[in-house]
Amino acid sequence: MNWKLLFDIDAWSEVYAAIRKNKLRTILTMIGVAWGMFLFVLLLGVTRGMQNGFDRNLADAATNSLFVWGGTTSMPHQGFQKGRLIELKMSDVKRIENQFPQISLIAPRNNMPNSVVAYGTKYNFYTVNGDYPDQNRMFGKDIIYGRFINEDDIKTEAKICVLGIEIVENFFKETKDAMGERIRIGDSYYTIVGIYDSPSSPVETKDQIFIPFTTFQKVYNQGEKIQYLSLSLPNDYDIVAFEKQLKSYLKQIKNIAPADDQALGGFNLGEMLGKIMTFVKGMQFLAIVVGALTLFSGVIAISSILLITVSERTKEFGIRRALGAIPTQIRGQILLESVVLTLIAGLAGIVGAGLILMVLNEFVIPNNDSIPIYNASIDLFTLFAALTIMVVMATLAGLIPAQRAIAIKPIDALREE
């Protein structure tokens, strides 16, 4: 394209006249390009918002981790009948640590659902968890007041607790007023030393209570029993392969048949997150493909419209050629019209998608915690690259009608009625 046309007022006047002459046809054609860019920006923005949401929610979580618990055997083994209840013990924790030195963090947990919790005349039913400090190192909670359970609490079997924000809001007028107060859990009283919000663990909510593990074992007479274990590995370890190794080892020490898949339960967070991120990456790729194909079809439509326009302006081009216009000028004029139409339509699609994303970020997402999206947006580099590709596509699409225009012989054009 002749870049001097960009600064030629007459060239821009001709572009405006061509667009104005067939307004409806031009607008309908541009909608295809606008819709393609709209889909590209919106879908890519939403999928990146999903990735941002997962990254934010799991920022304080050891994502390469898993949970394992005892189940019921489904087949006999070494003289044991099927239907045997498998329980994990505190002694198993040390054996697992010795067997698998690659483990970064390991923490047992017990819980008691539907425990009666009371403060003054108010009461409700909540889940009480017995925890070690390592649980919060693996899956951090946003401690807004006070602290979490520490090692001294474990050693002294302290009667302290950490409450979720929703429990505090139910019992106290002001959140900070809860600090240092004593609440009754079952038949025992506990001092509130911490209040949390936004847990990163997939099994925790804002309406749970955490007490020292040793205190829990004593109060609820659990002895050595463990309901489940949380384990975390460094990110460069294969958590899926490790889960198989761990369960195989537990089957050996618990006299479980190697083929028994029901005796031990597990939830592999690392594997699940890997699948989620693969899905998000796939959605991003799909957004790019769908947007690009829709945009391509829109640009092709513009090329078709320009072909019609060239046919309608045959006499005009013939006269211009007769008056001395060179082929480069004619070609540049057609390419300029193609690029201008595509740019206007593309920018309209970007603005429309940007408005939708702004509404999502400002009004929809902040008021709905169930939507796992945060900062749905598209970076400027990707946007600039999309616009550049769009301009290149428009230039290539304009070459066909441009070549058609310069192929018209002046004498033939002047014969056109």
Side-chain angles (χ1 to χ4, degrees), residues 9-76:
I9 298 177
D10 291 335
W12 286 102
S13 298
E14 289 185 27
V15 171
Y16 174 73
I19 295 174
R20 189 181 179 201
K21 184 177 180 181
N22 299 290
K23 288 184 287 188
L24 180 60
R25 186 172 66 190
T26 302
I27 291 173
L28 291 176
T29 305
M30 292 169 64
I31 286 176
V33 177
W35 180 245
M37 186 58 75
F38 176 85
L39 282 179
F40 173 79
V41 175
L42 182 63
L43 292 178
L44 193 58
V46 170
T47 53
R48 288 190 174 176
M50 291 173 61
Q51 183 173 353
N52 293 337
F54 286 119
D55 290 343
R56 183 185 68 164
N57 292 338
L58 297 170
D60 296 324
T63 54
N64 202 35
S65 58
L66 63 89
F67 306 90
V68 63
W69 56 85
T72 304
T73 58
S74 61
M75 57 183 68

Side-chain angles (χ1 to χ4, degrees), residues 11 18 51 77 114 126 170 173 183 207 209-210 312 315 322 334 338 364 385 394 405 409:
Q51 183 173 353
H77 184 65
N114 297 319
Y126 299 106
N170 183 40
K173 291 183 179 180
I183 62 170
D207 61 348
I209 300 173
F210 298 86
E312 293 175 347
K315 189 172 183 179
I334 300 298
S338 176
V364 179
K409 295 180 180 179

Side-chain angles (χ1 to χ4, degrees), residues 328-363:
T328 304
Q329 292 176 318
I330 303 296
R331 183 190 296 113
Q333 183 66 41
I334 300 298
L335 293 180
L336 181 62
E337 291 181 21
S338 176
V339 171
V340 168
L341 290 176
T342 305
L343 268 178
I344 293 175
L347 291 173
I350 291 173
V351 171
L355 290 174
I356 297 295
L357 292 176
M358 184 181 70
V359 171
L360 283 175
N361 289 327
E362 294 294 329
F363 303 105

Side-chain angles (χ1 to χ4, degrees), residues 139-416:
F139 300 101
K141 288 169 279 293
D142 181 16
I143 304 296
I144 56 178
Y145 287 103
R147 62 175 177 84
F148 193 69
I149 297 163
N150 59 34
E151 296 296 340
D152 288 337
D153 300 326
I154 297 294
K155 293 177 183 178
T156 61
E157 300 176 359
K159 290 287 188 73
I160 58 94
C161 65
V162 179
L163 303 185
I165 184 66
E166 292 182 3
I167 300 177
V168 175
E169 291 173 348
N170 183 40
F171 286 151
F172 301 91
K173 291 183 179 180
E174 296 289 339
T175 303
K176 61 182 180 180
D177 293 342
M179 293 299 299
E181 294 293 318
R182 286 166 58 84
I183 62 170
R184 180 168 58 85
I185 304 175
D187 297 326
S188 302
Y189 284 87
Y190 297 78
T191 301
I192 301 171
V193 297
I195 300 169
Y196 75 88
D197 191 6
S198 303
S200 61
S201 170
V203 297
E204 295 173 3
T205 57
K206 298 179 182 181
D207 61 348
Q208 294 187 9
I209 300 173
F210 298 86
I211 65 176
F213 185 86
T214 50
T215 307
F216 185 99
Q217 298 299 85
K218 183 176 181 179
V219 170
Y220 293 100
N221 194 27
Q222 295 296 297
E224 292 290 304
K225 291 190 297 184
I226 297 173
Q227 290 181 0
Y228 67 87
L229 275 173
S230 302
L231 305 101
S232 175
L233 299 182
N235 290 331
D236 55 345
Y237 279 86
D238 186 345
I239 194 69
V240 177
F242 173 77
E243 181 182 11
K244 295 177 181 178
Q245 296 171 8
L246 175 64
K247 288 185 175 179
S248 177
Y249 176 69
L250 287 174
K251 287 177 180 179
Q252 292 178 20
I253 65 177
K254 295 292 183 181
N255 294 314
I256 301 170
D260 192 343
D261 294 329
Q262 297 183 22
L264 294 170
F267 173 70
N268 196 316
L269 180 63
E271 181 182 17
M272 184 198 72
L273 291 177
K275 291 179 179 178
I276 290 175
M277 295 315 296
T278 300
F279 170 77
V280 171
K281 294 292 185 183
M283 288 293 293
Q284 290 179 352
F285 177 75
L286 182 63
I288 293 173
V289 171
V290 170
L293 290 177
T294 309
L295 186 61
F296 178 74
S297 64
V299 172
I300 293 300
I302 286 180
S303 177
S304 301
I305 289 299
L306 288 175
L307 278 172
I308 297 173
T309 302
V310 167
S311 299
E312 293 175 347
R313 297 166 64 186
T314 299
K315 189 172 183 179
E316 173 196 334
F317 291 136
I319 294 173
R320 292 179 62 181
R321 291 290 303 278
L323 293 176
I326 60 176
T328 304
Q329 292 176 318
I330 303 296
R331 183 190 296 113
Q333 183 66 41
I334 300 298
L335 293 180
L336 181 62
E337 291 181 21
S338 176
V339 171
V340 168
L341 290 176
T342 305
L343 268 178
I344 293 175
L347 291 173
I350 291 173
V351 171
L355 290 174
I356 297 295
L357 292 176
M358 184 181 70
V359 171
L360 283 175
N361 289 327
E362 294 294 329
F363 303 105
V364 179
I365 297 172
N367 298 320
N368 194 334
D369 293 336
S370 63
I371 300 178
I373 298 176
Y374 174 72
N375 189 25
S377 60
I378 179 171
D379 60 275
L380 291 177
F381 176 80
T382 302
L383 203 58
F384 178 77
L387 283 171
T388 302
I389 293 172
M390 187 178 66
V391 170
V392 172
M393 290 171 61
T395 303
L396 294 175
L399 283 175
I400 298 175
Q403 289 301 119
R404 175 76 177 272
I406 64 175
I408 300 172
K409 295 180 180 179
I411 189 65
D412 293 333
L414 292 175
R415 291 199 192 104
E416 284 286 327

Side-chain angles (χ1 to χ4, degrees), residues 88-104:
L88 298 179
K89 305 285 188 180
M90 285 298 297
S91 56
D92 297 329
V93 177
K94 183 57 67 176
R95 298 172 73 175
I96 291 172
E97 285 182 311
N98 293 334
Q99 182 69 21
F100 301 101
Q102 67 267 39
I103 295 175
S104 300

